[in-house]
Amino acid sequence: MPPDRPVTLLTGATGFLGSALAVRLAEQGDTVRCLVRGATAEERAARLRAALDGRLAEEHRHRIEVVPGDLAEERLGLPPAAFEALGRGVSRVVHCGARVNMTLPYQSLYGANVRATEDLLELAEARAASFCYVSSLAAVGRGVTGEPFELTAPVSGGYGLTKWSADRLVSVAHQEGRLRAVVLRPGRITAHSGTGRSNPDDLLEGVIRVSARLGLAPVLDTRIRLSPVDWVSRLVVALCGTDRAHGQAYHLIAARTLPWAAVPAALRAAGYRLTDLPYPRWRSAVLDAGREDPALARIAHALPGTPLSFDDRTACEPRNAARTLGGDHPEPPSAERLLEATLGRWQLAGELPRVP
Ligand SMILES: NC(=O)c1ccc[n+]([C@@H]2O[C@H](COP(=O)([O-])OP(=O)(O)OC[C@H]3O[C@@H](n4cnc5c(N)ncnc54)[C@H](OP(=O)(O)O)[C@@H]3O)[C@@H](O)[C@H]2O)c1
């Protein structure tokens, strides 16, 4: 029987952004076919359940399907019949899954980030399904202005280059009339504005937590943007759901920036005593502390030797989403209030130390 509601094939549903997308898509009534890796059906279901973490109300859970697939394997690691079944009834592909790793070279990331995109484009084309690709601002070169659909000059760095390659595959497939596609390019995605739930791998948020923990704040000449995951996921779902978005790209970042200095100021306002240190000295202190504490070691290893910068690659203020969505375009929450609220939520959740 054909399903009553659209079937969306979603990749990356066990991840930070993808799990938020799975919840939103199911809540709006889609059947969400989540491609999840794992050795057995039980393991895959358990991994997705853990990622959704009770966020999906009982009444919507029947809309989630879990299907096997490994983005790093040729044709998603599926035999032909299973690959064919994956696309059955699908009217839209939301491709959010990727190996997000800033240190590995292009070749190591190619399978999961580029070849899998080709496989999914083929599947979408065969089903006349629309294709929503979650790309990244890491794919956009520094000189690029506006929000071009087709990227030209490649970027450097393995991860950024895989996202650039996949981004181009998608825009070219659209230009050739093989399918209807929309490209979504988030910048740094920050903690949920309502719950404070954050990406444990995010460097900015890691630096904030470490500063509170050690009572030491780096002095940085950089600006930050807060683009909470609930706001980004809302934009992704809204833009994937409108034909007006086809053939366009969207840079999904909050327009407003804050100076880094707003972070130590907010930590002090939350009750922490902080000593300001030049970045090289602050980094040494974190590296020292990381030798004894695995949680700190994770951030310490990610700290670059050159001054830390959280500036996004794009200089422009993103406008395309507001143009396409008009009155339905959600504004991101005020950055100052969001920072303060997030620190409060992390304190309550025990993710920040108790105030001395
Ligand atoms: N987070 C950001 O700040 C940010 C910024 C810009 C763009 N993006 C883009 O947004 C998307 C989601 O990012 P995220 O931060 O949510 O990343 P994430 O938390 O690391 O999630 C990545 C997702 O991709 C899946 N995946 C990776 N390799 C796979 C494989 N071989 N087979 C099947 N699934 C695989 C992961 O599944 P497993 O659970 O099995 O590993 C997970 O569900 C990515 O496309 C990323 O490029 C993110």
Side-chain angles (χ1 to χ4, degrees):
M1 290 288 289
D4 298 327
R5 298 284 308 174
V7 179
T8 295
L9 174 63
L10 174 67
T11 67
T14 51
F16 179 54
L17 176 61
S19 57
L21 295 178
V23 170
R24 263 187 205 283
L25 288 164
E27 282 175 350
Q28 74 171 18
D30 286 27
T31 295
V32 191
R33 188 170 296 165
C34 302
L35 182 110
V36 178
R37 56 180 163 170
T40 62
E42 290 71 29
E43 185 191 331
R44 292 187 286 273
R47 292 192 62 235
L48 184 60
R49 212 176 308 117
L52 299 183
D53 191 23
R55 281 177 286 163
L56 189 61
E58 181 71 43
E59 70 201 271
H60 302 302
R61 287 191 195 150
H62 67 280
R63 302 212 174 95
I64 298 281
E65 294 176 3
V66 185
V67 291
D70 187 335
L71 298 174
E73 300 289 327
E74 209 152 320
R75 289 179 77 79
L76 312 175
L78 299 173
F83 187 81
E84 146 80 22
L86 188 63
R88 214 163 283 154
V90 166
S91 57
R92 165 163 68 186
V93 174
V94 178
H95 180 26
C96 178
R99 190 151 181 215
V100 182
N101 184 305
M102 305 301 154
T103 51
L104 287 173
Y106 181 86
Q107 274 313 324
S108 306
L109 303 171
Y110 167 81
N113 294 0
V114 184
R115 197 193 43 227
T117 306
E118 279 186 274
D119 292 337
L120 288 159
L121 282 168
E122 182 191 317
L123 180 147
E125 188 180 349
R127 299 286 170 178
S130 62
F131 198 91
C132 305
Y133 176 56
V134 179
S135 178
S136 171
L137 282 187
V140 181
R142 285 205 177 269
V144 173
T145 53
E147 296 160 80
F149 184 52
E150 198 176 340
L151 295 175
T152 48
V155 294
S156 57
Y159 169 74
L161 194 55
T162 59
K163 295 300 283 186
W164 177 86
S165 306
D167 191 304
R168 271 193 65 82
L169 285 172
V170 174
S171 59
V172 167
H174 177 96
Q175 319 269 37
E176 288 176 350
R178 287 161 46 203
L179 41 68
R180 294 151 297 133
V182 50
V183 172
L184 306 147
R185 301 186 188 119
R188 173 184 309 282
I189 305 173
T190 54
H192 191 286
S193 67
T195 64
R197 183 191 182 94
S198 59
N199 179 357
D201 294 326
D202 183 66
L203 188 58
L204 168 62
E205 292 174 337
V207 168
I208 297 175
R209 289 195 189 96
V210 168
S211 299
R213 182 115 173 250
L214 299 181
L216 302 172
V219 177
L220 300 172
D221 180 20
T222 183
R223 298 188 73 80
I224 63 165
R225 282 179 209 257
L226 300 179
S227 307
V229 63
D230 45 313
W231 177 71
V232 173
S233 62
R234 198 164 152 200
L235 280 171
V236 170
V237 169
L239 291 164
C240 290
T242 171
D243 292 351
R244 293 194 303 280
H246 293 148
Q248 295 202 62
Y250 298 88
H251 293 188
L252 306 183
I253 44 168
R256 205 130 172 262
T257 63
L258 289 177
W260 161 258
V263 172
L267 282 168
R268 288 188 173 103
Y272 295 99
R273 288 207 196 110
L274 295 178
T275 303
D276 293 322
L277 285 183
Y279 177 69
R281 283 183 53 206
W282 179 85
R283 179 171 176 261
S284 301
V286 180
L287 287 170
D288 284 346
R291 285 194 192 95
E292 293 177 6
D293 181 334
L296 287 180
R298 191 168 168 174
I299 291 295
H301 288 312
L303 293 173
T306 50
L308 199 50
S309 168
F310 296 117
D311 286 334
D312 279 298
R313 280 168 188 254
T314 181
C316 78
E317 192 175 305
R319 294 183 205 281
N320 254 4
R323 248 183 238 133
T324 298
L325 297 174
D328 294 330
H329 177 254
E331 285 302 324
S334 137
E336 287 89 349
R337 279 210 295 279
L338 185 56
L339 185 56
E340 184 192 328
T342 302
L343 295 181
R345 292 199 175 93
W346 288 350
Q347 280 178 323
L348 281 177
E351 293 180 42
L352 285 181
R354 292 168 74 92
V355 174

